[in-house]
Amino acid sequence: MDTNQVALQKPQHLISLASASLLVDVEVKVWTATRQNRTVSDEVTTSKKASRDSGRFIENLLANDPDHRRILNYRQTVYNWLQRVAYDFAGSQRCLPQIRLPKFMSEYKLHEAEFHKLVDTFEQKYPSMISNMAFVQGDMFDRNNYPDVSQLHNKFSMKLFTADVPMHDWRCQISADLAEDLHNNYARQTDDIVNNILLKQSEQVVNVLTSLSHSCGVDEVMGKDGAMVQKKRKIYESTFEKAINLCETFREFNLTNNKELEDCRAALENVIKGVSCEMLKNNEVIRENVKEDIDDILAKFRPAKAVMDEAMAEE
């Protein structure tokens, strides 16, 4: 081998990322039904004695039609879902723990079906929308701004893209004078990704523990006789399910084998083992015990999280 060629070593965290996760990206394309109306823009800027480039008028071709608005809103729903279930990686790509893949695919199919259902409803009503816009848009209406139904379908799509965490680049041989700079830069990027995932996991743990603790508590309210009484707060199945899912995911997905995160996860799993949401709703003793144990976990983990945050901020 040429002595001027060297092989870069893979950052250790990249190896654990590749074995424990995959990259996902969901692309949702929609027709926004907006366009710039240069004629109206010129009329406004001229009447205001302003420069032609000082303003522009954006025409809403469907005037916020509710069926079209539902599609736009659902695109945001899908985006928010992807932000919750996967972690930052690079650009639009998200890092999904392998253990979450079956649930992720199931939820994706439900989102995909709902998206296409909304699009189908919109397409069925589209011809009548155009007729209505002839009255709503007034003199601004131009039929040429509206695609035919045959063209409309291609303007809406929802696609899932998956990929392995990239490892192959590190098998290449590169010149020695570039190796150190490239390795340090890539290793730093990888550490940033892993640290951000760990920070997000810590926030998720605190949020779940805090929600569960709050739900198991009581409120002081005034009774019918005017005396203050304690009223149990509602415990939602979704809150309890989040705690269970978190324990299952983080058992397999702890990229740095962080002791504080694992201790917290294990403690939470031990507290809710053998406990159901119904038991928390109906058994005051179990409810109080669970709250006490969770508050104890929070008291121990919050200081540890603060130390972790500070250490990562200094890196």
Side-chain angles (χ1 to χ4, degrees), residues 14-22 95-100 165 252-255:
L14 185 61
I15 298 174
S16 56
L17 265 176
S19 62
S21 61
L22 73 159
C95 181
L96 177 73
Q98 289 277 6
I99 191 174
R100 287 183 179 172
V165 174
E252 304 293 334
F253 194 71
N254 186 341
L255 298 174

Side-chain angles (χ1 to χ4, degrees), residues 5-109:
Q5 301 289 311
V6 296
L8 294 182
Q9 296 296 314
K10 307 178 191 73
Q12 190 61 38
H13 293 338
L14 185 61
I15 298 174
S16 56
L17 265 176
S19 62
S21 61
L22 73 159
L23 303 182
V24 295
D25 181 21
V26 178
E27 179 187 76
V28 182
K29 295 174 65 175
V30 301
W31 178 48
T32 61
T34 58
R35 66 179 292 275
Q36 181 181 0
N37 190 318
R38 188 73 257 182
T39 300
V40 175
S41 299
D42 290 345
E43 289 176 0
V44 173
T45 52
T46 299
S47 67
K48 297 296 182 181
K49 299 179 181 179
S51 167
R52 188 172 187 268
D53 296 324
S54 62
R56 60 180 182 173
F57 180 83
I58 302 300
E59 189 176 349
N60 190 340
L61 297 175
L62 295 176
N64 284 323
D65 174 82
D67 289 298
H68 181 256
R69 179 58 54 186
R70 289 187 189 96
I71 299 175
L72 297 179
N73 290 342
Y74 202 75
R75 175 179 58 177
Q76 185 64 42
T77 297
V78 172
Y79 173 82
N80 293 342
W81 163 73
L82 192 60
Q83 295 293 307
R84 288 196 306 271
V85 300
Y87 300 95
D88 288 343
F89 188 79
S92 62
Q93 287 185 314
R94 309 285 295 171
C95 181
L96 177 73
Q98 289 277 6
I99 191 174
R100 287 183 179 172
L101 183 57
K103 190 171 188 293
F104 173 86
M105 290 305 301
S106 176
E107 292 177 350
Y108 171 79
K109 290 176 181 178

Side-chain angles (χ1 to χ4, degrees), residues 2 44 78 96 110 114 127 136 138-139 186 203 231 281 291:
D2 189 338
V44 173
V78 172
L96 177 73
L110 292 175
E114 179 62 22
V136 174
D139 292 341
Y186 201 65
E203 291 173 3
K231 180 181 178 181
K281 291 178 180 178
K291 177 172 173 52

